[in-house]
Amino acid sequence: MDDLLERLRAGLPAEALITDPDITASYAHDMASFCDAGAPAVVVLPRTVEQVQHVMRTATALRVPVVPQGARTGLSGAANASDGCIVLSLVKMDRILEINPVDRIAVVEPGVINAVLSRAVNEHGLYYPPDPSSWEMCTIGGNIGTASGGLCCVKYGVTAEYVIGLEIVLADGRLLTTGRRTAKGVAGYDLTRLFVGSEGSLGIVVGAVLALKPQPPQQLVLAAEFPSAAAACDAVCRIMERGHTPSLLELMDRTTVRAVNEMAHMGLPDSTEALLLAAFDTPDPTADLTAVAALCTAAGATEVVPAADAAESELLLQARRMSLTALETVKSATMIDDVCVPRSKLGAMIEGTAAVAEKYDLTIGVCAHAGDGNTHPVVCFDHTDADESRRARESFDEIMALGLELGGTITGEHGVGVLKKEWLARELGEVSVEMHRGIKAAFDPLGLLNPGKVF
């Protein structure tokens, strides 16, 4: 420990090192439930690439594991510390280095907050689409690490679609530049995509070149109330089958709607079994919403209410953004699943989740990025009740098994981390896991980067 601190101090300012165990303990884990976390030896908060390189050279020399972190808003345990590790928090590297309206790119450090970047590029008439629910807190580096998504994915895609270049500090301290700044480029293997979603297991992201889009018109939102989740999912299939491209298509089940009402008194209809929100940011969103309203009615919607303006639209979106927070008030703890299925199987996924809730006598609310089949079943439980905690964990696993049975994936945007690494092997298969391990060994032969995560 003394040797580690001495070597770190040789290349870092005093304020970059935290050794107080009461403070380092606060960096031990992210927001996931049921994920073990160890006690870090030290927390380092670098401000420069050179400082990150010094940390990795020191870690390699002493064979000390390193756990990279962003804002720790993740839900899979990917940022959890291991005993005796260096926690490398990138939150102080928070500069937007460039916004280029001609090339439509932004160059940023990993600690930039998603919402800060979004607002900054808006001032140039540009748009950075990825918008995780935690966008006011989460960092771009963390978004890259987990390949995060958000409400806009149905039209604009996930973070991976916008990361076109990276600067990476490798395990031994070397600096690797991947990708490009150009609109096109196919030189060599696509190492950039390899790092997106790697959860800090292959290298430390210290810079990113992000693609931007022109800022779209203000979107308008429609809310449709359904007598069943199956009817709402039927509407989703009709909307997509007819070729519509909403800027978001979100679903909240009965449990979620009631939780939001109880927390925020937003006046959402308590009678609904499912609430579908659809939005368009096209030049004529009213025409698109009219067409979607007709499809919702044909699918059995009991009421369809289009927002009159941007203010009403934002109010409806606030209800959706509050979903996870509201469900957290139902019980003392939650487990937030992240299972993505083909859109055509969305109804079966939600009905199956309801059956799991009944089987285990638990409250499980579902909010979903319905347009891309990404469901977030939220298991609510009393963490002081051992039996209820056990049932919560078992129900969580059963929901993941259901997703795979329906041809889906165990994670659409939250990542694997600690929480789902056993399930990753089931999804990938033996040959794929072997290839993953070979890639890990090539970039991190000593196994120092985020050990115990992913697989």
Side-chain angles (χ1 to χ4, degrees):
M1 177 67 171
D2 290 342
D3 190 18
L4 171 62
L5 293 178
E6 182 178 348
R7 292 200 188 198
L8 288 174
R9 288 188 182 112
L12 296 169
E15 65 270 16
L17 291 170
I18 300 175
T19 57
D20 183 332
D22 291 333
I23 299 177
T24 59
S26 69
Y27 286 83
H29 56 83
D30 62 17
M31 298 177 69
S33 300
F34 292 108
C35 292
D36 292 335
V42 60
V43 174
V44 181
L45 293 97
R47 290 184 179 271
T48 68
V49 173
E50 292 75 20
Q51 289 173 4
V52 176
Q53 290 181 285
H54 173 70
V55 171
M56 293 314 305
R57 291 178 185 125
T58 300
T60 295
L62 298 179
R63 304 299 194 264
V64 178
V66 176
V67 175
Q69 288 184 349
R72 304 193 310 282
T73 58
L75 296 165
S76 68
N80 285 13
S82 54
D83 284 331
C85 76
I86 299 170
V87 163
L88 186 60
S89 173
L90 285 306
V91 295
K92 299 293 187 183
M93 296 180 68
D94 59 356
R95 295 180 300 163
I96 299 174
L97 302 175
E98 179 184 353
I99 297 173
N100 189 319
V102 175
D103 294 331
R104 293 182 182 171
I105 60 170
V107 182
V108 304
E109 292 182 328
V112 172
I113 300 296
N114 184 296
V116 171
L117 174 64
S118 295
R119 293 180 182 122
V121 302
N122 287 166
E123 294 178 3
H124 296 265
L126 297 169
Y127 178 44
Y128 180 68
D131 61 343
S133 295
S134 58
W135 77 307
E136 293 281 6
M137 300 177 288
C138 63
T139 63
I140 295 299
N143 295 169
I144 291 170
T146 57
S148 59
L151 304 186
C152 72
C153 295
V154 62
K155 180 173 183 177
Y156 293 105
V158 296
T159 295
E161 310 297 327
Y162 298 91
V163 182
I164 61 173
L166 291 171
E167 280 202 325
I168 304 284
V169 173
L170 298 175
D172 60 7
R174 289 180 295 166
L175 185 64
L176 169 68
T177 299
T178 76
R180 53 192 166 81
R181 292 172 56 103
T182 54
K184 297 190 297 182
V186 294
Y189 296 141
D190 192 349
L191 296 182
T192 303
R193 279 294 187 101
L194 184 61
F195 280 95
V196 178
S198 66
E199 301 183 28
S201 64
L202 301 179
I204 311 295
V205 174
V206 291
V209 182
L210 305 174
L212 305 174
K213 290 185 174 294
Q215 190 169 5
Q218 178 68 51
Q219 65 183 358
L220 285 181
V221 179
L222 169 151
E225 179 183 352
F226 289 87
S228 70
C233 293
D234 180 31
V236 170
C237 292
R238 291 170 186 244
I239 291 166
M240 303 308 294
E241 184 180 25
R242 293 295 180 88
H244 294 287
T245 308
S247 53
L248 66 85
L249 191 57
E250 298 288 308
L251 185 148
M252 300 161 63
D253 75 348
R254 173 183 59 186
T255 300
T256 306
V257 169
R258 290 179 180 175
V260 170
N261 268 345
E262 289 177 11
M263 184 185 78
H265 308 290
M266 297 194 70
L268 298 174
D270 281 335
S271 61
T272 188
E273 292 295 314
L275 187 69
L276 189 66
L277 302 177
F280 286 87
D281 58 5
T282 52
D284 185 11
T286 302
D288 291 302
L289 290 180
T290 299
V292 166
L295 293 173
C296 288
T297 300
T302 54
E303 188 170 6
V304 180
V305 181
D309 52 29
E312 284 190 13
S313 294
E314 184 56 32
L315 185 63
L316 289 170
L317 294 183
Q318 279 298 106
R320 170 60 183 88
R321 292 190 184 109
M322 288 179 183
S323 295
L324 298 182
T325 303
L327 288 167
E328 288 172 352
T329 68
V330 174
K331 290 274 186 150
S332 64
T334 58
M335 289 189 74
I336 304 172
D337 219 324
D338 169 39
V339 177
C340 192
V341 296
R343 295 185 192 101
S344 58
K345 303 294 184 181
L346 183 61
M349 184 68 206
I350 293 178
E351 288 182 349
T353 299
V356 171
E358 183 176 357
K359 174 181 176 180
Y360 288 96
D361 190 24
L362 292 166
T363 298
I364 303 178
V366 179
C367 49
H369 308 309
D372 51 27
N374 195 176
T375 67
H376 294 308
V378 181
V379 183
C380 307
F381 64 100
D382 181 355
H383 75 283
T384 66
D385 184 327
D387 182 66
E388 192 164 307
S389 296
R390 174 191 58 79
R391 285 184 281 124
R393 181 66 212 227
E394 290 178 5
S395 72
F396 184 89
D397 286 344
E398 194 157 322
I399 290 168
M400 284 194 288
L402 172 65
L404 291 181
E405 289 170 11
L406 293 172
T409 174
I410 60 168
T411 176
E413 58 187 9
H414 292 172
V416 176
V418 176
L419 189 62
K420 296 188 173 184
K421 66 178 186 177
E422 294 179 7
W423 282 92
L424 180 66
R426 301 190 198 188
E427 177 174 336
L428 295 181
E430 184 178 343
V431 174
S432 183
V433 169
E434 182 182 343
M435 294 298 100
H436 276 68
R437 288 177 174 154
I439 293 168
K440 167 72 169 174
F443 283 96
D444 181 23
L446 298 177
L448 299 179
L449 287 168
N450 218 6
K453 314 295 170 52
V454 186
F455 58 85

